[in-house]
Amino acid sequence: MRDVRVVLIGGTSNVGKSTVAQVVAERLRFAYRSTDRLARHPGRPWRTPERAVPAHVAEHYATLPVDELIASVLDHYGRLWPRIEALITAHATGEEAETGLVLEGSALWPAQVAGLAVPHTAAVWLTADRRVVRTRVHDGGRYATATAEERHLMDKFLARTERYQALMLSVVHRLGLDHLDSGDGRSPGELADAVLSAAAAQHSVGRSSPDGPAPG
């Protein structure tokens, strides 16, 4: 891992990106960041003890069909990409190069990451079976006791999440990028080990990686 200064962990919502990324950051003594902190798209549309669902978030999921929800979030990620690329570059080769970075988020779209011309960068995408994601959303949103309106919003969020993962995986497979199943029973520590192993391999065997455009 001596050649790696930035580790990118992508994937859809509720696959465990933030938990695994924080373990990886602790292991490497790198800084941890989430792309959500750069500019947040309408977030999870369910209430928590600390937070009600903002009206604009409820309206977003209630009124848009799934195709438009996907188009909206991908457009948001496209607008956000220059800021993400600048952050990666700063930690890989620029003014923040002394501080390694683990950056996670759904905004790490694989085609854009694969096209990075930034050295010392490795990337892995986390996935999970739709049943795993559905269970996590239902548990987080207290689906069993939610109102019909709240369930409708969660159902729309899940539909967008599942569509996003399917599109993401099609690009990951086409470009031959590394991905890991985070819902197969492994602990966060075990998944962090797998992320670190994949990151190290990207810089030890001369394969295509986010150091340059991937084939395809």
Side-chain angles (χ1 to χ4, degrees):
M1 292 295 293
R2 288 180 299 177
D3 291 333
V4 179
R5 300 305 303 159
V6 177
V7 178
L8 306 174
I9 301 177
T12 194
S13 299
N14 289 277
V15 295
K17 297 185 302 298
S18 61
T19 300
V20 174
Q22 288 176 63
V23 175
V24 172
E26 182 177 352
R27 296 258 180 94
L28 296 175
R29 297 185 180 180
F30 283 6
Y32 160 79
R33 294 282 298 273
S34 171
T35 60
D36 285 349
R37 298 294 184 182
L38 299 178
R40 191 170 180 85
H41 194 259
R44 300 174 181 181
W46 56 84
R47 56 188 169 85
T48 67
E50 300 80 23
R51 170 187 172 275
V53 179
H56 74 280
V57 172
E59 181 180 7
H60 178 78
Y61 288 99
T63 60
L64 295 181
V66 175
D67 286 347
E68 291 185 29
L69 289 173
I70 282 289
S72 174
V73 75
L74 291 180
D75 181 64
H76 170 71
Y77 293 159
R79 293 194 306 271
L80 188 57
W81 178 249
R83 294 179 62 186
I84 295 172
E85 186 173 16
L87 180 62
I88 294 168
T89 302
H91 282 269
T93 61
E95 63 272 16
E96 300 290 339
E98 292 298 316
T99 305
L101 175 68
V102 178
L103 179 66
E104 59 87 6
S106 300
L108 297 170
W109 186 247
Q112 292 170 319
V113 172
L116 277 170
V118 180
H120 313 303
T121 303
V124 180
W125 282 264
L126 300 186
T127 66
D129 183 88
R130 63 187 299 177
R131 290 170 296 182
V132 172
V133 175
R134 186 171 294 266
T135 296
R136 290 174 179 175
V137 169
H138 283 183
D139 289 347
R142 298 176 177 83
Y143 193 89
T145 58
T147 66
E149 181 180 357
E150 289 170 334
R151 289 185 178 189
H152 176 65
L153 296 180
M154 281 185 266
D155 290 343
K156 293 290 287 293
F157 178 87
L158 270 167
R160 191 203 75 175
T161 295
E162 292 168 359
R163 182 78 61 84
Y164 176 94
Q165 179 165 265
L167 292 171
M168 181 199 80
L169 268 175
S170 70
V171 179
V172 165
H173 289 149
R174 177 171 60 85
L175 297 179
L177 303 175
D178 285 312
H179 62 95
L180 299 168
D181 184 351
S182 66
D184 62 359
R186 282 181 285 183
S187 68
E190 291 169 329
L191 287 167
D193 288 340
V195 168
L196 289 168
S197 177
Q202 290 175 22
H203 287 264
S204 65
V205 296
R207 57 176 286 182
S208 293
S209 77
D211 286 354

